[in-house]
Amino acid sequence: MLKRIILILILPLFLIAGCSMPVQSGSINEQGQWVPDRSIEIIAPAAAGGGWDTTARMLARTIDEEGLADQSFGVVNKPGGGGAVAWSYIHKRNDPHNIFISSPPLHFVYLNGQSPFGYEDFTPIANLIADYGAFAVREDAEWNSLEDLFTDMREDPESITVVGASSPGSMDHIQFMMFADKAGVDITKIRYISDQDSGGMTSVLNGSVDVISTGVMDAADQARAGKLKILGITAPERLEGDEYLSTLPTAKEQGIDAEFIVWRGMFGPPDMTEEQLAYYEDIYKEVSESDAFAEVRDMYGWDEQFMGSDEFREFLDEQSDDLENILIELGFIEEDEDENIGQ
Amino acid sequence: MFDGILQGFQVAFSWEAIMFVFLGVLLGTIIGMIPGLGPISAIAIMIPITYGMDPTIALVMMAGVYYGSMYGGSTSSILLNAPGVAGTVAASFDGYPMAQQGKAGKALAISAIASFVGGTVSVILLMLFAPMLASVAILFGPPEYFALMLLGLTAIASLSEGSTIKALISAVLGFMIVTIGIDSQTGTSRFTFGSVNLLDGIDFLIIALGVFALAEVCFLILNRKQKMKGLSNIGSLKLSKQDIKEMKGPLTRQSFLGFILGVLPGAGATISSFVAYISEKKLAKNPDEFGKGSIKGLTGPETANNAATSGAFVPLLSLGIPGSGTTAVMLGAFLVLGVQPGPLLMTENPTVFWGVIASMYIGNIFLLILNLPLIPYFVKILKVPRPLLISLVIVSSLVGVYAVSFSTFDLYLLVIFGILGYLMRIFAFPAAPFILAFILGGMMEQALRQSLTISGGSWSIFYTSPLTMFLFIIMIIALVVPAWRDRIRRKKEEAKVKKY
């Protein structure tokens, strides 16, 4: 009897496990250009509705509507492990028809040992947009600038609490630590609270926590309504475009020499040929320069920041080093290990 | 503000909006009714479809899908014991026994009416108080949430039938399973055994479908000789005067309580439905009927989860803070459409704000007229030959889980939890405390540790806030009063025995 149940329950699994597309590699035409065999899968390593998904869908739509490619570009969601599930899938398949969108969590998840694959295990294709972090306090808080805040924190780093949506060692946490570190605060003593469910916004608005480390857009909306005060943003220069956003002070102009760019770009599988890379790089360059995508950027408040493959890789090297140093200082990872940094 | 409301109604009553509200609630009901698919998958499916649509119309439809799937979700809880949404788990406690007693029609009618009342009352509250309630939504910090979750846990005591020890073991198991995954306070992974697939922890849906739906399926397969009484007789839809009288109390109480709990981000439909179930059981004159097909036990959670669904729009629309997994996906949908929910939405985009709220009246009416006449057809599913029905439940459970994560690993987990659920059932370990501990445990642990980080390790944070104290006092009352009442009753009985 029990056998029958197990059979009934397990049978559908084999059916599902059986269907997966074969790995194909495309071909090279007479002009030496790569020609894909089938449609391209843009993998969003998260569920529908998030930042990765939105960007991927908007990119796919622009490519489709502007007719920038012969093949169709479709978005596939592969959530799990903060991206790790999708990355191991892409790495394993190593199919040039699978590309994916990513952002700084690619560094964090890898550096914290939650994924065996980092940006170096994939082929950076191009970066498209940039976003920035913001540090904000409640409207009636005693601090009016990052310097005010960091002065207090230098004296007694344990007296102030910081909240963010990501867990320690990830984006919201580390972006704050980068700036606090540059401002001379003992970052190993800062009390950071992670609130992934309803975000730390509630906790800052009701005064349970002092500072929130989040994205510019999230903080700006509350600040515009007069509920939060943005002390500083992580961009290298003031933001342009929106009248309100351009009033937000950068940390740099307050004398803290650090920046943190929340980039969003495309990556391909590990072993891409030059032709394959050129194929994608060209398409994304055209996307970035198109009017249609400029409209999309305006709509979502994204900054244009195109980087080709080589430039993108250099940028990633630099950012990865910066982040690694902070993580070492905080004791999340050990200095000696180069490969496969464990927990 | 009044202008805004008028404007909202204008939008909501345009033929286009009415059409899309109808479409939304219809799709929502259908998706919700399929065991395994709930509002999260329903909205996620809608997001790519609505790209490029007029934002107000798209959001009106999306909201319709959301509360429509909540409405439909209880159907699969009641008929098949296969909750696809955490908010409808409590509806299965009394709804499924009712269906098995041959009162499936009545159970669905009660559920439809309770959902309608809960939904409508809460939309009125939403419309009147949304701007003011924004400040209520941020009233709760980590210590208050911890107290609220602890209060929710007292439900374990009332959910246990038979052995309390078995109920506690089952709850501990739930707590253990929720610790799997990345710990968000330290960033280390716990009990993942190096598997990438376990980093996010185990999804609620896998647990609910495994322990409820698949366990039930196993049970049906292994007990083929034992006939399900209700199968041939689905009963009448009609509610007697007595039934309506019984429903009145929970309808009024839980519409308000559910709405208020829904406003709190993080609490939402699940907690409010459990709180509704416990509070109705505590207030009832005949608590023994609960779990065996009590009308109050079904009306309470059904009213509350729909009321909470509207309540959840308060923090979402007026603060831009999503209170649950579903509203987080909704927030994503708003952002995709270029609408930023938050404190400025009401002034900068009154058509969207009030349009969505106003459309919910129409949506709720649609749901009632859509659902009541269709109940006889829904319950026919119970007449489907058992082998077919069982395969249907298995397939849709697998599809539901796969649609959330697109991972085959999760399907294996589902089977494991199905077997666990079956074993728990034959050894008489109740499943409800297990799932409740799983739902509340994660949030409770986080809230406790957040509180202690804020206070620098001092426990005083839990008794310096009046709100936390208030919640603790309710909790003590909830624990002590029934025990005390039991004792008095027992003494009376003893006295009676002595007399004779």
Side-chain angles (χ1 to χ4, degrees):
Chain A
M1 203 56 107
L2 200 68
K3 262 188 198 159
R4 179 179 288 138
I5 300 188
I6 292 170
L7 194 73
I8 292 172
L9 290 178
I10 301 227
L11 205 66
L13 297 187
F14 286 110
L15 294 177
I16 293 165
C19 27
S20 178
M21 247 181 269
V23 175
Q24 288 166 302
S25 57
S27 55
I28 309 273
N29 69 8
E30 290 137 21
Q31 285 90 39
Q33 287 162 328
W34 182 63
V35 184
D37 285 339
R38 54 178 171 89
S39 58
I40 308 297
E41 243 174 57
I42 305 184
I43 292 168
W52 283 343
D53 176 65
T54 312
T55 322
R57 284 185 197 281
M58 286 302 148
L59 287 168
R61 197 173 83 172
T62 312
I63 293 172
D64 189 42
E65 283 176 1
E66 303 288 299
L68 299 177
D70 304 335
Q71 288 288 353
S72 75
F73 278 56
V75 176
V76 176
N77 296 92
K78 213 159 181 52
V85 171
W87 298 327
S88 77
Y89 166 82
I90 294 156
H91 197 270
K92 194 170 145 202
R93 270 182 72 86
N94 205 355
D95 181 334
H97 297 86
N98 292 347
I99 57 174
F100 68 97
I101 179 134
S102 200
S103 64
L106 180 60
H107 291 309
F108 292 114
V109 176
Y110 167 70
L111 289 171
N112 285 312
Q114 282 142 5
S115 162
F117 308 112
Y119 75 98
E120 285 171 317
D121 296 298
F122 299 101
T123 314
I125 294 171
N127 186 58
L128 287 143
I129 51 173
D131 218 338
Y132 305 97
F135 310 123
V137 293
R138 202 157 86 151
E139 178 54 35
D140 56 3
E142 51 183 303
W143 309 285
N144 288 312
S145 68
L146 274 184
E147 197 38 47
D148 283 359
L149 178 72
F150 287 141
T151 307
D152 280 3
M153 287 186 98
R154 269 193 295 267
E155 260 166 44
D156 187 2
E158 283 179 63
S159 64
I160 290 161
T161 45
V162 184
V163 72
S166 50
S167 58
S170 284
M171 202 152 87
D172 291 346
H173 178 223
I174 298 303
Q175 68 176 13
F176 185 81
M177 295 301 159
M178 266 175 101
F179 287 80
D181 188 47
K182 270 278 177 342
V185 178
D186 180 358
I187 56 171
T188 58
K189 293 214 168 81
I190 295 176
R191 285 193 284 148
Y192 174 81
I193 295 129
S194 154
D195 195 334
Q196 296 176 317
D197 293 322
S198 47
M201 202 56 90
T202 332
S203 301
V204 177
L205 292 177
N206 69 21
S208 315
V209 178
D210 302 312
V211 188
I212 183 165
S213 166
T214 182
V216 169
M217 286 301 161
D218 287 332
D221 201 54
Q222 303 288 343
R224 228 190 296 224
K227 305 206 170 204
L228 281 187
K229 203 155 52 173
I230 296 180
L231 299 183
I233 59 172
T234 68
E237 281 159 31
R238 287 213 177 194
L239 302 178
E240 286 166 18
D242 186 279
E243 203 176 306
Y244 175 77
L245 292 178
S246 62
T247 64
L248 301 176
T250 64
K252 224 168 221 172
E253 71 185 55
Q254 299 181 57
I256 300 161
D257 185 26
E259 58 180 62
F260 184 70
I261 298 171
V262 185
W263 47 271
R264 237 173 266 169
M266 303 301 305
F267 292 81
D271 306 314
M272 278 176 105
T273 62
E274 255 173 57
E275 293 84 5
Q276 288 163 356
L277 180 58
Y279 172 84
Y280 286 119
E281 208 180 339
D282 289 348
I283 288 177
Y284 280 106
K285 194 166 175 57
E286 280 182 63
V287 171
S288 184
E289 284 164 1
S290 71
D291 291 340
F293 198 65
E295 259 173 53
V296 171
R297 280 195 301 259
D298 278 351
M299 182 170 151
Y300 292 107
W302 297 333
D303 254 17
E304 191 265 287
Q305 194 164 78
F306 184 83
M307 288 187 253
S309 182
D310 293 334
E311 193 190 346
F312 191 23
R313 192 189 299 266
E314 264 170 49
F315 167 80
L316 290 171
D317 285 339
E318 219 170 281
Q319 193 177 46
S320 176
D321 283 348
D322 285 351
L323 298 177
E324 208 175 333
N325 288 335
I326 295 287
L327 285 166
I328 290 169
E329 193 169 336
L330 286 169
F332 279 91
I333 49 179
E334 282 165 32
E335 205 159 349
D336 309 333
E337 288 174 288
D338 276 330
E339 291 294 319
N340 288 330
I341 295 152
Q343 297 141 43
Chain B
M1 189 181 122
F2 192 67
D3 285 348
I5 297 182
L6 274 182
Q7 220 174 329
F9 273 108
Q10 242 166 21
V11 175
F13 280 107
S14 68
W15 68 268
E16 207 186 355
I18 291 181
M19 199 180 77
F20 277 100
V21 168
F22 181 75
L23 207 67
V25 296
L26 182 71
L27 274 173
T29 318
I30 295 170
I31 296 174
M33 230 174 318
I34 300 171
L37 296 183
I40 295 195
S41 4
I43 295 167
I45 293 167
M46 300 306 294
I47 288 176
I49 300 175
T50 53
Y51 274 106
M53 264 173 79
D54 171 49
T56 314
I57 300 295
L59 289 172
V60 157
M61 177 166 80
M62 208 82 96
V65 171
Y66 177 31
Y67 51 78
S69 59
M70 207 47 136
Y71 227 92
S74 33
T75 310
S76 58
S77 275
I78 292 169
L79 295 181
L80 304 168
N81 203 21
V85 201
T88 62
V89 172
S92 70
F93 296 161
D94 279 288
Y96 188 60
M98 266 179 109
Q100 282 188 310
Q101 290 157 15
K103 292 188 274 188
K106 195 159 134 187
L108 287 184
I110 290 174
S111 152
I113 292 167
S115 300
F116 174 74
V117 174
T120 308
V121 170
S122 60
V123 178
I124 298 172
L125 294 174
L126 179 62
M127 184 156 262
L128 292 177
F129 302 116
M132 278 168 264
L133 280 170
S135 51
V136 175
I138 59 162
L139 219 55
F140 273 47
E144 286 81 13
Y145 275 113
F146 174 71
L148 183 67
M149 301 297 154
L150 211 55
L151 176 64
L153 272 188
T154 58
I156 289 178
S158 31
L159 287 175
S160 57
E161 275 158 35
S163 161
T164 313
I165 294 192
K166 280 187 174 171
L168 289 176
I169 291 175
S170 167
V172 168
L173 202 61
F175 281 130
M176 283 163 70
I177 285 167
V178 82
T179 55
I180 294 172
I182 295 178
D183 165 38
S184 67
Q185 295 310 307
T186 58
T188 41
S189 24
R190 302 190 291 197
F191 309 112
T192 57
F193 302 101
S195 163
V196 172
N197 294 300
L198 285 172
L199 283 178
D200 284 345
I202 295 171
D203 196 82
F204 161 79
L205 202 59
I206 299 174
I207 306 275
L209 289 176
V211 173
F212 284 83
L214 289 195
E216 185 67 29
V217 161
C218 290
F219 188 78
L220 288 179
I221 297 172
L222 286 180
N223 298 282
R224 279 198 295 181
K225 290 196 185 96
Q226 186 198 45
K227 276 206 174 127
M228 214 160 55
K229 288 171 225 146
L231 236 101
S232 49
N233 178 15
I234 51 176
S236 127
L237 283 188
K238 285 213 180 90
L239 301 176
S240 68
K241 265 194 189 142
Q242 181 61 32
D243 296 340
I244 291 169
K245 211 175 134 199
E246 276 209 41
M247 287 173 71
K248 263 186 195 156
L251 280 180
T252 348
R253 283 189 291 270
Q254 303 309 335
S255 294
F256 288 90
L257 192 59
F259 178 74
I260 292 168
L261 286 175
V263 168
L264 299 172
T270 316
I271 292 182
S272 67
S273 66
F274 278 108
V275 168
Y277 190 80
I278 327 157
S279 57
E280 288 308 326
K281 190 172 175 178
K282 297 255 144 109
L283 289 170
K285 288 191 198 90
N286 40 5
D288 298 339
E289 277 180 22
F290 277 65
K292 296 179 189 114
S294 154
I295 290 177
K296 283 192 165 135
L298 176 61
T299 314
E302 274 301 277
T303 316
N305 67 20
N306 283 277
T309 308
S310 321
F313 276 91
V314 171
L316 178 68
L317 292 177
S318 59
L319 291 169
I321 295 173
S324 65
T326 317
T327 38
V329 181
M330 271 294 271
L331 179 70
F334 272 80
L335 296 176
V336 165
L337 289 160
V339 176
Q340 169 81 47
L344 296 175
L345 184 67
M346 202 172 74
T347 41
E348 284 183 357
N349 223 334
T351 2
V352 171
F353 187 88
W354 293 111
V356 170
I357 295 179
S359 77
M360 289 161 84
Y361 285 104
I362 307 173
N364 269 299
I365 295 168
F366 272 144
L367 280 171
L368 191 68
I369 50 180
L370 199 69
N371 275 273
L372 276 183
L374 287 179
I375 288 174
Y377 301 97
F378 291 159
V379 286
K380 282 219 173 105
I381 192 161
L382 292 181
K383 289 193 169 176
V384 171
R386 211 193 278 186
L388 271 180
L389 187 62
I390 287 172
S391 336
L392 197 78
V393 172
I394 295 177
V395 169
S396 62
S397 298
L398 289 167
V399 169
V401 166
Y402 191 74
V404 169
S405 60
F406 303 102
S407 142
T408 35
F409 180 84
D410 283 357
L411 298 180
Y412 295 110
L413 275 182
L414 176 67
V415 172
I416 292 172
F417 279 104
I419 293 167
L420 177 76
Y422 175 70
L423 291 177
M424 281 169 67
R425 190 163 167 172
I426 44 177
F427 293 111
F429 285 92
F434 174 76
I435 198 120
L436 186 67
F438 179 81
I439 294 169
L440 298 180
M443 282 192 271
M444 193 169 98
E445 189 208 341
Q446 294 308 324
L448 172 67
R449 291 169 61 195
Q450 284 163 354
S451 310
L452 290 176
T453 313
I454 290 171
S455 71
S458 158
W459 291 85
S460 65
I461 192 165
F462 294 112
Y463 51 81
T464 45
S465 141
L467 208 56
T468 323
M469 278 318 279
F470 172 71
L471 289 167
F472 281 139
I473 288 168
I474 296 186
M475 185 181 76
I476 292 166
I477 294 174
L479 281 176
V480 171
V481 169
W484 181 62
R485 218 166 40 179
D486 269 8
R487 221 176 124 177
I488 290 183
R489 202 169 55 186
R490 222 173 295 150
K491 270 194 181 160
K492 267 188 191 162
E493 274 164 15
E494 271 169 26
K496 259 187 204 164
V497 172
K498 271 182 192 162
K499 252 187 196 170
Y500 296 110

